[in-house]
């Protein structure tokens, strides 16, 4: 065996320039192809997660449920929706936020400019908002009250338009022919992030004021007991389920798409048990757009990889042809001295291993470096997004 190995090495030294050219062609081609493949997969995952967290598409990736539910059935509907929503994203971590609102109320005419008091009154409504989505800017948050006077906080933008602040006492007329509501304004608030997907649940989008046919101000942030205790008229209940996509990979998008569609149907049934329900999400469409974009990017890389593989193949064929010409006489001499075809094939296979083993080592190294670089790139992007979100 030692003699066989020495003979192979001596043959390699005799044609070292051609073999060096072959080794370099194999190494460079293997390194580039491995890097392209690994980088494409890792960057594809990072691009997928970045796109789903982008503020321009984040709102569409949520599941929004709206239902008109009688007050007596709200607790059961809330429990059912939250349970179904947590399984609607193919096992990804899910956060469910809710917004319970009252029916419409008319604001006092005295808050309108004198020239507008003959028209339609300004409207508002009570809502129990997610505490994490609001920031108090003046006064204090409302608390439950035992008297007939309710407490509420008003959006800062609405307070500026109405020229009222903490301490104001308002008498609101129920537009659904219910009883009047006396409300003490205890504070002013603003959205923690005006572009947060949560504010899709609010008819005013977190802006505090909206004018269409009527001018609507609000919502009046109230304690949840006000909305569930029958102190105000019943309105729509809404939920929003959002998933954490930090562990999502491109290989799971198909399963996620199917799970979201099945989950939307299940949520419609769960929320509609006590009334009518509407479920909406754009996540399947968003995933389709991302898949198409990734397909285009991967096709571009595939074309470059095929071109490189063809060039490497041509180079190896040229080297093999030159090496065959150089060794034609040597091969005839070995056959004349009794060398069998199997022996000559073993020599060729051993020389091929001398070329392949370095290529395998470079392949493993290139894959590791490419994956690490892609992971670091995706991580830096996530950190920048989190910092931007905290700043907002």
């Amino acid at each position: 065996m030692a003699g066989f190995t020495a003979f192979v090495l001596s043959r390699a030294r005799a044609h070292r320039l051609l073999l060096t050219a072959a080794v370099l062609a194999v190494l460079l081609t293997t390194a580039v192809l491995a890097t392209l493949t690994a980088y494409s997969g890792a960057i594809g995952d990072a691009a997928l997660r970045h796109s789903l967290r982008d503020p321009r598409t984040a709102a569409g990736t949520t599941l929004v449920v709206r239902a008109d539910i009688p007050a007596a059935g709200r607790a059961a509907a809330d429990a059912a929706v939250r349970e179904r929503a947590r399984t609607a994203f193919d096992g990804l971590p899910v956060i469910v936020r809710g917004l319970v609102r009252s029916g419409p109320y008319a604001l006092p005419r005295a808050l309108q400019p004198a020239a507008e008091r003959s028209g339609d009154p300004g409207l508002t409504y009570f809502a129990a908002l997610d505490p994490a989505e609001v920031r108090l800017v003046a006064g204090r948050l409302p608390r439950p009250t035992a008297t007939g006077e309710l407490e509420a906080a008003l959006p800062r933008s609405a307070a500026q338009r109405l020229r009222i602040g903490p301490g104001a006492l308002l008498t609101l007329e129920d537009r659904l022919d219910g009883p009047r509501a006396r409300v003490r304004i205890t504070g002013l608030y603003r959205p923690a992030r005006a572009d947060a997907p949560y504010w899709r649940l609010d008819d005013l989008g977190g802006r505090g004021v909206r004018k269409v046919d009527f001018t609507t101000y609000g919502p009046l942030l109230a304690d949840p007991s006000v909305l569930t205790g029958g102190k105000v008229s019943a309105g729509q209940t809404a939920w929003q389920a959002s998933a954490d996509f930090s562990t999502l990979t491109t290989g799971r998008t198909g399963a996620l798409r199917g799970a979201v569609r099945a989950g939307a149907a299940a949520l419609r049934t769960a929320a509609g048990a006590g009334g009518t329900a509407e479920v909406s999400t754009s996540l399947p469409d968003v995933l389709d757009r991302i898949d198409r974009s990734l397909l285009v990017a991967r096709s571009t890389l595939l074309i470059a990889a095929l071109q490189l593989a063809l060039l490497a193949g041509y180079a190896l064929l040229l080297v093999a042809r030159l090496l065959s010409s150089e060794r034609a006489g040597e091969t005839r001499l070995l056959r004349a001295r009794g060398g069998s075809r199997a022996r000559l094939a073993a020599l060729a296979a051993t020389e091929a291993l001398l070329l392949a083993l370095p290529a395998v080592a470079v392949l493993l190294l290139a894959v590791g470096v490419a994956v690490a670089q892609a992971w670091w790139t995706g991580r830096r992007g996530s950190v920048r997004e989190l910092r931007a979100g905290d700043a907002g």
Side-chain angles (χ1 to χ4, degrees), residues 292-344:
R292 287 194 293 269
S293 299
L294 291 177
L295 180 61
V296 172
R298 287 169 177 168
S299 298
T300 304
L301 287 177
L302 179 60
I303 292 172
L306 289 175
Q307 291 175 338
L308 178 61
L310 286 175
L311 289 175
Y314 288 145
L316 288 176
L317 285 175
L318 178 60
V319 170
R321 178 61 180 170
L322 292 174
L323 190 59
S324 177
S325 299
E326 290 286 336
R327 287 185 172 174
E330 184 179 330
T331 301
R332 287 194 296 269
L333 180 60
L334 288 173
R335 291 296 304 276
R337 299 186 62 179
S340 64
R341 291 182 181 273
R343 193 69 170 174
L344 294 177

Side-chain angles (χ1 to χ4, degrees), residues 228-312:
T228 58
K231 298 179 180 180
V232 295
S233 60
Q236 191 178 71
T237 304
W239 298 267
Q240 184 183 73
S242 56
D244 179 5
F245 298 108
S246 60
T247 60
L248 182 65
T249 61
T250 53
R252 291 184 61 185
T253 55
L256 176 60
R257 189 183 295 108
V260 168
R261 286 172 176 158
L267 283 169
R268 190 175 293 108
T269 302
T276 60
E278 175 189 351
V279 181
S280 62
T281 180
S282 300
L283 183 56
D285 296 331
V286 171
L287 291 176
D288 287 340
R289 290 196 299 270
I290 294 174
D291 285 344
R292 287 194 293 269
S293 299
L294 291 177
L295 180 61
V296 172
R298 287 169 177 168
S299 298
T300 304
L301 287 177
L302 179 60
I303 292 172
L306 289 175
Q307 291 175 338
L308 178 61
L310 286 175
L311 289 175

Side-chain angles (χ1 to χ4, degrees), residues 12 53 78 94 112 139 166 178 207 231 276 302 315 386:
R53 288 193 296 261
D78 181 74
V94 177
Q112 291 180 290
R207 294 184 295 272
K231 298 179 180 180
T276 60
L302 179 60
L386 289 174

Side-chain angles (χ1 to χ4, degrees), residues 11 17 27 40 42 67-68 89 93 122 129 142 154 156 180 197-198 209 224 319 335 354 366 375:
R11 275 167 55 96
L17 292 180
L27 290 181
S40 173
D68 294 313
F89 289 88
L129 304 175
L154 190 65
R156 179 172 56 185
R180 291 181 176 182
Y198 175 77
V209 181
V319 170
R335 291 296 304 276
L354 293 177
W375 174 84

Side-chain angles (χ1 to χ4, degrees), residues 175-193:
R175 300 287 286 182
L176 301 179
D177 298 328
R180 291 181 176 182
R182 289 175 56 82
V183 183
R184 177 74 64 180
I185 303 300
T186 63
L188 305 181
Y189 73 91
R190 64 171 179 84
R193 283 183 52 204

Side-chain angles (χ1 to χ4, degrees), residues 378-390:
R379 183 176 182 274
R380 286 195 302 172
S382 299
V383 170
R384 284 197 296 268
E385 290 171 6
L386 289 174
R387 289 176 177 174
D390 292 342

